[in-house]
Amino acid sequence: MKNHIILILLLLSFAFAGCARPSEAEVKVLELAVYYTGSQLSGSELIQAVNTYNENNSVVKIEVINYSDNYPDAWEALNQIKIEIIAGKGPDMIDFGSAWGYSPLVSGMMADLYPLMQNDALFDRQDFYFNIIESFAVGESLYVLVPSFRITSFATNNSELSNLERMNINQLVDAYNKLDDESILFPGETKKSVLAMICFGGMENYIDWGQGIAYFDGSSFKEILNFANQFSLTLNISDDYSAKAFFTEGRALLYPVSIDSVYGTARVRMLYGETPAYIGYPFDSGNGNIADFANIAIGISGVSKNKEEAWGFIKTLLDNEFQDNLKRGLPVRISSLEQKLLGAMEIEYDINGGRVVKERLIWDGEEPADIYQISAEDAETLKSIIKKIEFNATVDSAVYNIMLEEADYLFNDDSRNVDDVADIIQNRASIYLKEIN
């Protein structure tokens, strides 16, 4: 009897052991590096996405490391992150934000996101304006995801340019040379501003970031230097100067455009009185309308041991919930943009029956023009611009500053000609590219 009782107790102990609750899975914490000031941190859509993700996930959590707490300068913070990654440590993910540029990417900091997209059965590139996502690639690799974007371009109603699919620098110069004495290139034209504006979106012409090769000694860049050099060093503005009037009266060849909402094309149409051509920047090849990030440029560290989990978070920035509710920039998800366009085409009324102002066209010293809705043409124009975009407007500040510094010798010193300045820029840029690759 005693042995029988012992046997029963043993069987019960094994049974209860088998039914014992498994130990809680260890929570995996991924570090996300950001560089935000206090106000940026509190209003950040990325931080809100992190909070939502952490609330809905028990196995993986995101910890935000704000490098602005210890580094007063964004580039110092970026350099520290780079040092950590080279040492095999550092964060799993980085939101470059205002520090976004090519140099950290070609230095091997980041992982390629394309393989993670391709291996994700739930990721369908057809859901997105994938050309916008691809426009931020370097060579054959994609190092950052930009979930929202804005467009930089030049608009024109000039007959010499408006019928072109794109313009190169020679076509721009020809159109400018045919203007009458009362017309200008754009308000604020000086030697340096013309060079800076034209090259801001056109750096893809002169650097192959994937190969780390510069092309500033070619004929098209020299033509830009020649063109910029014909303007004045300083701008003299009269008391009755009106930048807006140059466009409403058709006396400016180009209008520098930044579109960061679905109301952007409506604003430009109202300025011109009709829909102009979005000719973009002068490019040797490819479309001249450019994508720029709105506020988030996020990627995965090349040394992260949690790349799949990191991608699991990053792709939530492409979900309907995040894309539909973006406050800044244009969404890359097609359905989200369509939703925003439909809403913008509807007139809304307040409790008193008055029309709700959705956007304003504002110029200094001018009465603002209210926008209550966009037209179907405005919506189609925006989508047409987006579908043609191939490149992004990211400018490496080091190369950009080299270009502007050396061009100053051309603009202020007759002892250096265009060929000399182009060769010096080419040499300095080439040395820089070798250093960072």
Side-chain angles (χ1 to χ4, degrees):
M1 182 69 177
K2 182 179 179 182
N3 289 337
H4 182 68
I5 293 172
I6 293 172
L7 178 60
I8 292 174
L9 291 172
L10 286 171
L11 290 172
L12 286 172
S13 68
F14 283 123
F16 280 118
C19 294
R21 189 176 178 181
S23 60
E24 296 269 338
E26 184 178 348
V27 175
K28 183 175 288 187
V29 177
L30 275 60
E31 292 185 350
L32 166 61
V34 301
Y35 189 88
Y36 290 163
T37 62
S39 59
Q40 290 173 327
L41 196 63
S42 60
S44 168
E45 292 176 311
L46 179 60
I47 300 303
Q48 293 172 17
V50 168
N51 294 336
T52 300
Y53 182 87
N54 286 341
E55 289 171 5
N56 297 329
N57 288 272
S58 57
V59 178
V60 178
K61 300 289 186 182
I62 310 298
E63 179 184 359
V64 176
I65 310 296
N66 189 0
Y67 276 71
S68 71
D69 292 340
N70 297 309
Y71 299 92
D73 180 77
W75 289 104
E76 289 181 15
L78 186 61
N79 189 55
Q80 175 60 31
I81 295 172
K82 182 176 178 180
I83 291 170
E84 293 173 8
I85 290 176
I86 291 173
K89 301 180 293 184
D92 295 282
M93 295 172 284
I94 304 167
D95 174 30
F96 288 91
S98 60
W100 158 246
Y102 277 120
S103 57
L105 309 182
V106 294
S107 300
M109 284 177 65
M110 309 304 291
D112 186 1
L113 299 181
Y114 278 147
L116 293 164
M117 291 179 177
Q118 293 162 1
N119 294 331
D120 188 340
L122 299 178
F123 180 82
D124 187 352
R125 59 186 291 162
Q126 301 302 318
D127 292 335
F128 309 99
Y129 288 107
F130 202 75
N131 63 303
I132 300 297
I133 294 174
E134 285 185 313
S135 72
F136 288 87
V138 179
E140 300 299 319
S141 299
L142 180 70
Y143 296 113
V144 293
L145 179 74
V146 174
S148 61
F149 67 101
R150 57 190 177 90
I151 300 166
T152 62
S153 180
F154 285 113
T156 186
N157 60 359
N158 179 269
S159 59
E160 295 288 326
L161 299 177
S162 58
N163 292 323
L164 300 174
E165 276 293 313
R166 62 176 181 84
M167 70 173 174
N168 57 38
I169 185 58
N170 293 319
Q171 291 166 326
L172 174 59
V173 172
D174 288 344
Y176 177 78
N177 289 337
K178 293 177 182 177
L179 296 178
D180 59 43
D181 293 339
E182 300 298 316
S183 298
I184 62 172
L185 180 64
F186 52 69
E189 54 181 17
T190 63
K191 293 176 185 290
K192 198 162 189 174
S193 68
V194 170
L195 176 65
M197 289 289 287
I198 291 177
C199 289
F200 175 79
M203 295 299 282
E204 290 280 353
N205 276 302
Y206 312 113
I207 297 179
D208 182 333
W209 292 102
Q211 300 295 321
I213 302 173
Y215 301 100
F216 289 100
D217 54 353
S219 59
S220 65
F221 182 69
K222 291 179 182 180
E223 183 63 27
I224 293 176
L225 287 174
N226 267 319
F227 182 54
N229 198 34
Q230 73 183 67
F231 294 89
S232 62
L233 270 172
T234 58
L235 189 65
N236 297 316
I237 300 177
S238 61
D239 293 338
D240 60 349
Y241 181 89
S242 170
K244 182 181 178 182
F246 280 107
F247 300 108
T248 57
E249 296 170 8
R251 293 187 289 120
L253 182 61
L254 298 177
Y255 175 39
V257 174
S258 179
I259 299 174
D260 59 2
S261 79
V262 291
Y263 298 96
T265 50
R267 294 176 74 253
V268 178
R269 172 181 55 80
M270 289 181 67
L271 174 65
Y272 276 99
E274 62 182 2
T275 298
Y278 289 83
I279 194 64
Y281 291 84
F283 267 30
D284 292 339
S285 63
N287 189 269
N289 295 298
I290 310 297
D292 198 359
F293 79 101
N295 59 347
I296 300 171
I298 189 170
I300 301 173
S301 163
V303 298
S304 172
K305 296 180 176 61
N306 307 299
K307 291 183 178 65
E308 292 289 343
E309 292 85 352
W311 169 246
F313 166 70
I314 287 178
K315 73 175 184 178
T316 66
L317 305 179
L318 298 174
D319 290 347
N320 287 95
E321 182 178 358
F322 185 83
Q323 291 281 305
D324 288 351
N325 295 291
L326 282 168
K327 299 296 188 295
R328 295 179 60 188
L330 298 162
V332 294
R333 179 174 280 274
I334 294 173
S335 62
S336 298
L337 182 70
E338 290 287 352
Q339 176 182 295
K340 289 180 180 294
L341 287 170
L342 288 173
M345 283 190 277
E346 295 179 358
I347 295 179
E348 296 178 12
Y349 297 90
D350 59 28
I351 57 174
N352 298 316
R355 291 183 299 173
V356 174
V357 176
K358 294 186 174 181
E359 183 67 87
R360 279 192 168 98
L361 178 61
I362 301 174
W363 287 79
D364 288 341
E366 308 276 355
E367 284 294 319
D370 295 334
I371 299 175
Y372 302 100
Q373 67 181 143
I374 67 172
S375 68
E377 182 185 16
D378 296 328
E380 290 303 316
T381 298
L382 178 60
K383 289 189 284 186
S384 176
I385 297 169
I386 291 172
K387 290 173 184 176
K388 295 176 183 178
I389 289 174
E390 300 175 50
F391 306 116
N392 73 76
T394 304
V395 175
D396 184 289
S397 60
V399 176
Y400 198 61
N401 288 335
I402 287 171
M403 180 189 71
L404 295 179
E405 287 170 11
E406 296 302 333
D408 266 342
Y409 289 99
L410 173 67
F411 299 155
N412 294 280
D413 184 359
D414 291 336
S415 65
R416 290 192 187 179
N417 58 34
V418 165
D419 289 336
D420 293 336
V421 170
D423 287 343
I424 293 171
I425 294 172
Q426 171 69 13
N427 184 54
R428 288 186 63 188
S430 297
I431 292 172
Y432 169 74
L433 291 172
K434 288 179 181 178
E435 288 175 348
I436 65 173
N437 274 293

